[in-house]
């Protein structure tokens, strides 16, 4: 018989003819030692002894070899709000949920461990650069934490004075971060606030160019404001008006030649960055707010994820009507998207799952 307990151990018992039990082996699982490691369920399936902890970790032991280390499977228990694919290793995916958990996944292998931060605060916004993750919580603080393989190093934080709504890093100059607040943006270099700019309109989304030379800020009114970054200030260069709902997400293409934006009125638009003309329009195939979007590494495709549970992939050089649709990708809505290569898109959502989709050209 296999039993589990809130004392964080599993026990295997030999049952004799008279009904008495003798302890054969105590199985312990590695963990943080906290409440989450209390065991709440178990199953004996052929040679597999399976235990489930309160924190959602599944351990699989071998019944024929109780000394063998268990296979550990885990993941998120809450809505996954952000995904990041590491440039140095595109098969490595980081996902974060608002309860503060960051999980590392390897495409083709699956779960690869949790990133243990020294400050385990809640996460509202999340971004990853090379060997560094940047997070913001509900305490007005932005954290920069160094990343060494699967381990988080020391973190520095800065209080920006108001609630961060969006967070964008410049991949080619990662010390620069643009943080969106209700009324404007805050520019950070490393963990130093270099400017707090009140833009005079309700800000809902923003993005900073890969080389840190430009920023685009979206408003509640559906307008996109394009700014040139001069030193530590923003200089407005253009206002683009095509959206009919609050801007929810803006992303540059990897080669910096285009950008795409999505709104709360279910529409996405691809723009040419230099001419600022619309490059792909009529991307109106969602039935609810667009939450996230991502570019393919070769700049040929844009994927959008929505509250309507679907992911839609558009090819930039083809009409929007020749789209690929993944229906019911995540129950409750899709909240984060990323490409790992030209044919693989990763999505996450309200159902606390991360899924990898293989795209087959139409």
């Amino acid at each position: 018989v296999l039993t589990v307990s809130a004392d964080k151990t599993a026990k295997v018992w030999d049952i004799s003819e008279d009904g008495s039990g003798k302890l054969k082996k105590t199985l312990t699982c590695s963990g943080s030692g906290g409440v989450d490691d209390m065991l709440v369920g178990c199953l004996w399936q052929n040679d597999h002894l399976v235990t489930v902890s309160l924190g959602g970790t599944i351990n699989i032991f071998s019944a024929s070899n109780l000394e063998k280390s268990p296979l550990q499977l885990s993941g998120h228990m809450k809505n996954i709000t952000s995904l990041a694919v590491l440039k140095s290793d595109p098969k490595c995916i980081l996902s974060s949920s608002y309860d503060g958990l960051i999980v590392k996944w390897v495409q083709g292998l699956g779960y690869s461990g949790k990133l243990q931060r020294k400050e385990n605060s809640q996460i509202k916004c999340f971004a990853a650069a090379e060997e560094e993750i940047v997070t913001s919580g509900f305490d007005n603080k932005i954290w920069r934490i160094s990343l060494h393989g699967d381990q988080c190093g020391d973190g520095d934080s800065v209080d920006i004075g108001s609630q961060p709504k969006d967070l964008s890093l410049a991949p080619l100059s990662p010390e620069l971060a643009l943080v969106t607040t209700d009324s404007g943006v805050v520019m950070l270099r490393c963990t130093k606030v270099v400017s707090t700019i009140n833009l005079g309109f309700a800000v809902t989304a923003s993005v900073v160019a890969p080389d840190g030379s430009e920023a685009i800020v979206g408003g509640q009114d559906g307008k996109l404001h394009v700014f040139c970054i001069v030193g530590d200030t923003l200089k407005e260069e253009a206002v683009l008006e095509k959206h009919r709902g609050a801007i929810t997400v803006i992303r540059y293409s990897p080669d910096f030649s285009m950008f795409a934006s999505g709104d709360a009125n279910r529409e996405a638009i691809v723009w040419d960055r230099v001419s600022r003309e619309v490059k792909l329009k009529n991307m109106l195939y969602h039935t609810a707010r667009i939450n996230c979007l991502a570019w393919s590494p070769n700049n040929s495709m844009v994927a959008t994820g929505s509250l309507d549970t679907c992911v839609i992939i558009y090819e930039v050089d083809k009409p929007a009507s020749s789209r690929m649709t993944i229906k019911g990708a995540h129950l409750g809505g899709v909240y984060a998207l990323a490409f790992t290569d030209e044919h693989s898109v990763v999505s996450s959502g309200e159902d606390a799952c991360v899924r990898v989709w293989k795209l087959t050209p139409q």
Side-chain angles (χ1 to χ4, degrees), residues 36-73:
D36 279 354
D37 294 332
M38 289 162 56
L39 299 179
V40 294
C42 61
L43 170 73
W44 193 319
Q45 178 79 25
N46 302 331
D47 187 46
H48 304 300
L49 303 179
V50 184
T51 69
V52 183
S53 75
L54 188 63
T57 301
I58 298 169
N59 283 283
I60 304 172
F61 296 86
S62 166
S64 56
N65 182 3
L66 294 173
E67 301 300 326
K68 191 176 163 192
S69 295
L71 169 68
Q72 210 171 53
L73 303 170

Side-chain angles (χ1 to χ4, degrees), residues 54-202:
L54 188 63
T57 301
I58 298 169
N59 283 283
I60 304 172
F61 296 86
S62 166
S64 56
N65 182 3
L66 294 173
E67 301 300 326
K68 191 176 163 192
S69 295
L71 169 68
Q72 210 171 53
L73 303 170
S74 191
H76 293 275
M77 303 281 278
K78 299 281 194 298
N79 176 3
I80 303 170
T81 52
S82 305
L83 286 176
V85 173
L86 296 182
K87 291 273 186 297
S88 55
D89 181 8
K91 292 271 183 274
C92 177
I93 303 151
L94 299 179
S95 60
S96 78
S97 49
Y98 79 86
D99 56 353
L101 181 62
I102 304 172
V103 175
K104 181 180 175 185
W105 311 85
V106 177
Q107 188 182 340
L109 295 174
Y111 175 74
S112 178
K114 296 175 182 176
L115 295 187
Q116 300 293 342
R117 293 176 297 147
K118 292 187 170 82
E119 288 277 336
N120 211 23
S121 54
Q122 288 183 320
I123 293 176
K124 189 176 181 190
C125 311
F126 172 82
E130 292 310 303
E131 297 170 355
E132 183 181 49
I133 54 175
V134 183
T135 69
S136 78
F138 294 87
D139 55 1
N140 300 352
K141 285 183 179 171
I142 305 288
W143 282 89
R144 279 184 180 266
I145 303 154
S146 58
L147 198 55
H148 312 290
D150 294 348
Q151 297 301 314
C152 288
D154 293 330
D156 288 324
S157 72
V158 59
D159 193 321
I160 63 163
S162 54
Q163 188 81 85
K165 295 183 75 174
D166 200 356
L167 175 63
S168 176
L169 295 179
L172 301 176
S173 56
E175 79 281 350
L176 174 67
L178 191 72
V179 183
T180 309
T181 62
D182 275 332
S183 58
V185 293
V186 177
M187 278 171 70
L188 299 175
R189 292 196 188 273
C190 297
T191 49
K192 185 168 179 279
V193 175
V194 290
S195 58
T196 302
I197 304 160
N198 188 329
L199 295 173
F201 60 89

